[in-house]
Amino acid sequence: MTSPALVPHIADVVAVTDCLIDWGPHQMPIDGRSHNRGRLLFKGEDGLPEAGLWRSTPGSWRLILPADELCYFVSGRARYTADDGEVVEAGPGTLAHFKEGWRGRVEVFEDILVTYMLTAGGPRAATPVVRDPAGLALDDWGAAQTLDGRAAGTRGLVISREADGRAESGLWECDAARRAVTFPREEFVHILAGSAVYTQEDGAALTLPAGSIAFFPAGWTGICETRAVTRKIYMNR
């Protein structure tokens, strides 16, 4: 059984921005001004997956992604210009799934604060981008199986997924419900609205309010209670 203490999480990503760790300058600077700070939630022994919170000051650098990276821009403004001409304008509320092998230039115009996960994925011609994921209408994913038998609907949207299921990202929403849950794969979540309480058989509980992020290990099992409509960004592998 995995203790909630072993589920890395940050309850309020905005509140911790003044106490992030210095990650130094970018590896391939163009103008040399940008500086990184952040906090890791999880990093695998071979470097992947990696999930956490990242902040960068204005400036520009060249970026070559060795893996898929899901980025949710909490604040700030940036532009990602790929070598093939694709342009992704990122501002508050932008959710982008940059695919493995993405190459180009990043320009930050205002300090960006980003929650992210990196994992092995695959190439794609265009970058999947969602604007305003908190307000986007989602597809009906059917009724949730609740512990008390009450009706609760779920909705969602898959943003990107490899043919073998790797690097799946998307949005998921559930009405108020109390459900038995198991995470079959490692999963990063960012709660956009509502809140979720994850409780194990030993009674230990982890509360994730709106604005929080967490990284669940594969095999985590317990009860999830959403006391209002709750929406999250997710990525698993």
Side-chain angles (χ1 to χ4, degrees), residues 1-236:
M1 180 179 296
T2 303
S3 166
L6 298 181
V7 176
H9 63 281
I10 298 175
D12 185 341
V13 296
V14 174
V16 303
T17 55
D18 291 334
C19 54
L20 300 178
I21 297 170
D22 186 346
W23 284 358
H26 289 279
Q27 293 182 350
M28 294 184 286
I30 294 175
D31 67 10
R33 295 185 299 128
S34 291
H35 201 84
N36 296 302
R37 297 168 65 202
R39 180 182 294 187
L40 286 175
L41 280 182
F42 182 85
K43 190 166 187 175
E45 292 183 1
D46 60 355
L48 293 176
E50 177 181 325
L53 178 63
W54 166 55
R55 186 174 190 175
S56 177
T57 59
S60 62
W61 66 93
R62 182 156 177 78
L63 177 64
I64 301 174
L65 284 176
D68 279 26
E69 182 172 16
L70 183 71
C71 294
Y72 177 64
F73 293 80
V74 178
S75 60
R77 192 167 61 91
R79 176 182 298 132
Y80 287 66
T81 304
D83 291 345
D84 63 8
E86 177 193 56
V87 177
V88 175
E89 299 283 356
T94 299
L95 177 62
H97 186 138
F98 295 99
K99 299 296 293 178
E100 187 174 303
W102 191 97
R103 294 168 169 262
R105 173 178 178 148
V106 182
E107 300 168 272
V108 174
F109 308 109
E110 301 169 2
D111 278 27
I112 54 173
L113 181 66
V114 180
T115 63
Y116 73 93
M117 178 174 167
L118 278 157
T119 190
R124 183 181 290 188
T127 300
V129 178
V130 174
R131 309 291 181 183
D132 187 25
L136 184 71
L138 304 178
D139 299 328
D140 183 357
W141 280 7
Q145 186 172 356
T146 63
L147 293 175
D148 56 13
R150 294 182 183 179
T154 65
R155 294 157 291 278
L157 174 69
V158 174
I159 297 171
S160 181
R161 178 173 54 202
E162 292 300 299
D164 60 2
R166 287 179 301 117
E168 178 180 330
S169 67
L171 298 167
W172 179 87
E173 180 179 87
C174 185
D175 296 336
R178 190 166 179 268
R179 305 172 298 114
V181 297
T182 297
F183 287 87
R185 300 190 290 176
E186 293 171 317
E187 182 168 313
F188 166 77
V189 302
H190 182 139
I191 306 297
L192 292 175
S195 66
V197 180
Y198 292 87
T199 306
Q200 295 179 169
E201 293 177 357
D202 62 3
L206 171 64
T207 299
L208 297 178
S212 63
I213 58 176
F215 187 87
F216 286 87
W220 192 97
T221 300
I223 295 172
C224 176
E225 183 175 4
T226 52
R227 295 169 183 169
V229 176
T230 298
R231 179 176 292 203
K232 70 178 181 181
I233 294 166
Y234 74 88
M235 186 181 202
N236 56 45

